[in-house]
Amino acid sequence: MNQPNFDNMSDQELLTYVRNHPSDINAFHKYMDRLNARPGILCTTDEEFEAELRRRVQEKASS
């Protein structure tokens, strides 16, 4: 069986593939690599989460 080309899949297609093939470790790692490459905000405490949420709500209200 040929290995699918994960690079040619959209994020949604890759996620669907991972869900349908939970034993395919290569697909899982490729999907996790994509997620880790996205910029994000890490909130490790409830206080950080609340502060970030307040900031985003204020930002949204200002625009």
Side-chain angles (χ1 to χ4, degrees), residues 53-63:
L53 184 59
R54 271 190 238 103
R55 184 189 69 75
R56 288 184 184 202
V57 168
Q58 289 173 352
E59 200 173 83
K60 189 76 167 173
S62 298
S63 53

Side-chain angles (χ1 to χ4, degrees), residues 4-32:
N5 187 340
F6 303 128
D7 292 327
N8 289 338
M9 291 183 181
S10 69
D11 289 347
Q12 186 59 49
E13 289 170 331
L14 183 54
L15 176 58
T16 299
Y17 180 87
V18 169
R19 287 180 175 164
N20 291 327
H21 300 87
S23 62
D24 190 335
I25 301 302
N26 291 330
F28 173 76
H29 284 285
K30 185 66 173 179
Y31 186 70
M32 293 308 297

